[in-house]
Amino acid sequence: MTALRLEGRARVFGDDVNTDYIIASRRKRESLDPVVLRQYLFEEIDPRFARSVEPGDLIVAGRNFGCGSAMEVAATVVLGAGIRAVLAASFSRTYFRNAVNNGLLPIPCDTSRIGEGDHLVIEPGAGEGSPLAIRDVTTGETVIAAALPDIMVDILAAGGLVPYFRLHGGFRV
Amino acid sequence: MAGKTISEKILSAKSGRDARAGDVVVCEVDLALGTDASGPMAIDYFEAMGGAGVRDPHRVVFAFDHYAPAPSIATSRFHQRVREFAAAHGIGVWDVGQGIGHQLIVESGRAAPGSLVVGADSHAVTYGALNCFATGIGSSDLAAIMICGQVWLRVPETIQVALTGRLQEGVYAKDAALSLARQLGAGGATYQALEFGGPALATMDLEERLVLSNFAVEMGAKNGIFPADSRTFAYLEGRAGAAFSPVAPDADASYARQITLSLDELIPQVALPHEVDRVVPVTEAAGTPVHMVYLGTCTGGRVTDFHQALAVLRAGGRVAPGVQLVVTPASRSVLDALVRDGSLAEFLAFGAAVVTPGCGSCCGTCGAIPGDQVNVISTANRNFKGRMGNGNAFIYLASPASCAAAAVRGAIADPREFRR
């Protein structure tokens, strides 16, 4: 985690983006492959998104990101598009878990002043174990993320729940 | 030290620790559900994790409800994969036609008071009506449970919801749930528990409680839990297999906030497209044309729901020309009950299309998909754009009686106009 540094373009969404908007249920019934599903990413609310997304882009959203269905493809499809982190004012709890379990970094922070296309740099703040700092290079502002529970930090550090389980064989709290 | 909420008590018992809001605890899971939508991925994760055996196959169950019957080759293959995995590991399967997993867990008595039941589907919160700590998880968490029998949970703060008064004629639990969604908002209870209480509980039967628990997740809640009482025990009589331990909150339990929902003052409600918390009294939406009426789902697909809808259809005497009425019982036993008491024949006489028990059209994965610019009124819990499989349709949510009133008129209408 300490070596983490992400840099990319902000792709901005609003509040209450549900998992059906991230990937429609009717799409996942034909394939669970993120590489197939990525072509439908956000199709219901931004039909041009899937064509314009670039690896390294960062999703930036308002409150309650990933609400609705607990379907895990809504996390894996984001990774499949080359996106490694989602910044949001808050997450639905199932999306929060599914993101961590797949190594997609959820970053709870104040996203209200981040604009579409802003250039963001995400790095650990100064000091051991300090929360992530999100620097908006476009506006010059920096916001600090809320800390994640230790178990989520550990699962993310392992790379997701699969490598975590291969390492530990169970939960360690 | 302050007392505990129901959720704190159950998670203390399941983790063997003094669990308080904010703690992260590892809990023994009493039962975990996988569906045909979440199960195939759970098996992928299980194998990737190096899973050899399932720790306790009797604490896992699969239900084929999202693709019932399978509408494509890919979904048939999902069924085959889960069937083979379940057979190899001794896990039970509710196959196509048995119904919605959540309904089957409730009907079978496997959601016992005081237990921890999770489901790889967000509407697993439904079993909270039976005094279970019940919450939704993803496929990877289900895989972990299959391997080690445990889940980690952050103990939620609790919002106490006091229900007072009683529902007036023509007003139902669904109206209370919609009203609560408007009051709290779609993310208003995120990471928190809803704990229902208050004098109105004595007037609410179990099927009504299931509607409120089911809707908890639409406000972002982790669970929506009721205390157990004589109605809970009456429902479980003859269903529950094992002994159970009802859990009540301590009188000095600590709550994040307390809200009151006065059932006396409630009138029928409708959620407008495309947000579950965009709720208005039915009178404000009345007259909106309706082309499809959907009766079913884990919110509104039980026997009493169909009886309430049928009473309005009888009083109205017809389904308006141009309206497609779709009936999807939540389970096979609901369907059987509707056959036995003649309700199904009546629905058929009204021209209803009857679909295999399961999730049906609710999430657009099977069943009847609405056309472009079609207005649907549904007994379901979600009305997101594209939810029923077509982003060009508009979904309204209401009680079974309000949905039936719309079927009679061909437009949204107040079900209280159909009182006998």
Side-chain angles (χ1 to χ4, degrees), chain B residues 332-349:
Chain B
R332 176 60 195 260
S333 71
V334 172
L335 174 60
D336 288 344
L338 298 179
V339 169
R340 275 197 307 273
D341 71 12
S343 298
L344 194 77
E346 281 192 79
F347 276 117
L348 290 169

Side-chain angles (χ1 to χ4, degrees), chain B residues 81-97:
Chain B
R81 178 152 167 73
V82 177
R83 267 188 214 110
E84 285 163 14
F85 178 87
H89 292 278
I91 296 171
V93 173
W94 283 308
D95 213 306
V96 169

Side-chain angles (χ1 to χ4, degrees), chain A residues 15-21 24-32 34 43-45 47 63-65 67-76 89-94 96-102 108 149-152 155 160-167 169-173, chain B residues 17 24-26 37 40-41 44-45 47-50 66-67 71-75 78 120-122 135-141 144 147-148 150-154 186-187 190-191 217-218 220-222 274-275 277 363-366 369 382-387 389-392:
Chain A
D15 294 334
D16 300 323
V17 173
N18 63 69
T19 50
D20 279 88
Y21 289 172
S25 291
R26 70 177 188 279
R27 300 298 185 186
K28 70 151 192 225
R29 80 174 198 192
E30 297 310 324
S31 173
L32 298 171
E43 67 176 323
E44 217 58 89
I45 53 172
R63 289 187 305 273
N64 201 25
F65 184 81
C67 61
S69 163
M71 57 176 157
E72 200 146 340
V73 284
T76 57
S90 65
F91 293 86
S92 91
R93 51 167 294 279
T94 43
F96 207 30
R97 291 182 81 99
N98 288 341
V100 167
N101 284 357
N102 289 280
D150 289 345
I151 182 143
M152 286 188 155
I155 294 169
L161 197 61
V162 166
Y164 180 94
F165 254 68
R166 292 192 77 93
L167 196 62
F171 293 109
R172 291 151 63 100
V173 170
Chain B
R17 287 188 41 194
V24 170
V25 291
V26 176
M41 268 179 98
D44 290 345
Y45 285 113
E47 290 173 351
M49 287 171 181
H66 283 62
Y67 313 125
S72 64
I73 296 167
T75 46
F78 291 149
D121 187 277
S122 61
T135 194
I137 55 169
S139 298
S140 52
D141 280 322
I147 291 172
C148 73
Q150 296 180 322
V151 68
W152 73 266
L153 292 168
R154 184 182 165 280
T190 301
Y191 314 134
V217 72
E218 308 315 328
K222 185 172 228 154
H274 301 286
E275 288 103 41
D277 57 350
C363 51
T365 48
C366 62
I369 309 294
R382 291 191 179 134
N383 60 346
F384 307 146
K385 188 170 187 283
R387 172 76 183 171
N390 183 353
N392 297 318

